[in-house]
Amino acid sequence: REVVLAAVSKGGTALASASLELQADKEVVRVAVKNDVAALGFASHELQADKDFREDLLAAIRASRIWLGSLSAELRADREVVLAAVSILGNALSVAVPELQADEDFVLLCARSCMDDSQADICYSQAHDGLKQKRPRDIFFQAKNSALALPGQSNAPVLQVTLTSSAPTGSGSGAGFHVEATLASGSG
């Protein structure tokens, strides 16, 4: 365990070579992810699904452009996890489970969470073909940009997005941004 902890503290993706037992060890995985967020892809599926570990996972997704495809199918089916990933990178919807790609309310919510229209357009392009046939791009984006529900929606979820920036520090390379998105029930 100590050898693996030392290895993942120098290179997080060293977790890939660890035993299955250590890939399920919260401390080992936290150290690995702190060093390299890509190490999340090597954490055990049980740990990825662990509720206590969930906040670490969401923070890692929000802090970087973690590729959703490296996570378990359970997490790729999790609305909150997918929404956090899509808000940073619109094409993350491409590896979400088909049920989410076909869910009209959820795809609209994802598009609204994107930082800009180009990412929202990418998100829409990853939606299920049946949804795109049902809701052509112009109608979909009219609803996205007006923050109105799509026709036929009675209780659309509400998305609250907070975007904060941080000023450059000392010899830092510039300002950074943090996006936080939360879901709430609508009052349609």
Side-chain angles (χ1 to χ4, degrees):
R1 185 172 191 266
E2 297 308 315
V3 171
V4 172
L5 273 171
V8 299
S9 69
K10 293 180 181 172
T13 56
L15 186 62
S17 301
S19 69
L20 295 178
E21 179 183 333
L22 292 176
Q23 289 176 346
D25 184 299
K26 286 181 186 179
E27 181 184 0
V28 171
V29 173
R30 282 189 176 117
V31 170
V33 169
K34 183 177 181 182
N35 181 275
D36 185 346
V37 74
L40 272 172
F42 303 112
S44 71
H45 292 303
E46 294 80 16
L47 185 56
Q48 289 182 19
D50 184 281
K51 296 297 181 192
D52 293 334
F53 196 71
R54 180 180 186 77
E55 288 307 312
D56 291 341
L57 172 69
L58 289 171
I61 289 171
R62 290 179 186 126
S64 68
R65 293 176 178 238
I66 184 172
W67 186 237
L68 195 59
S70 66
L71 301 178
S72 68
E74 291 82 13
L75 289 174
R76 288 183 282 119
D78 185 297
R79 296 172 77 85
E80 189 175 9
V81 169
V82 173
L83 181 62
V86 169
S87 71
I88 301 299
L89 195 61
N91 70 347
L93 188 61
S94 69
V95 294
V97 296
E99 294 81 11
L100 288 181
Q101 293 174 356
D103 182 321
E104 187 174 359
D105 292 338
F106 185 71
V107 174
L108 179 62
L109 187 63
C110 286
R112 285 180 178 160
S113 77
C114 290
M115 294 175 66
D116 59 47
D117 282 346
S118 66
Q119 287 297 313
D121 196 39
I122 292 168
C123 175
Y124 175 77
S125 74
Q126 304 301 318
H128 188 274
D129 286 340
L131 173 60
K132 290 188 281 191
Q133 289 173 356
K134 181 179 176 185
R135 299 290 182 209
R137 186 190 179 289
D138 57 335
I139 294 173
F140 186 85
F141 275 86
Q142 182 180 4
K144 176 220 174 271
N145 293 327
S146 67
L148 298 173
L150 287 166
Q153 289 179 311
S154 60
N155 193 18
V158 175
L159 173 68
Q160 178 181 348
V161 177
T162 305
L163 176 65
T164 55
S165 64
S166 58
T169 58
S171 63
S173 61
F177 294 95
H178 174 76
V179 177
E180 189 165 326
T182 54
L183 297 172
S185 296
S187 57

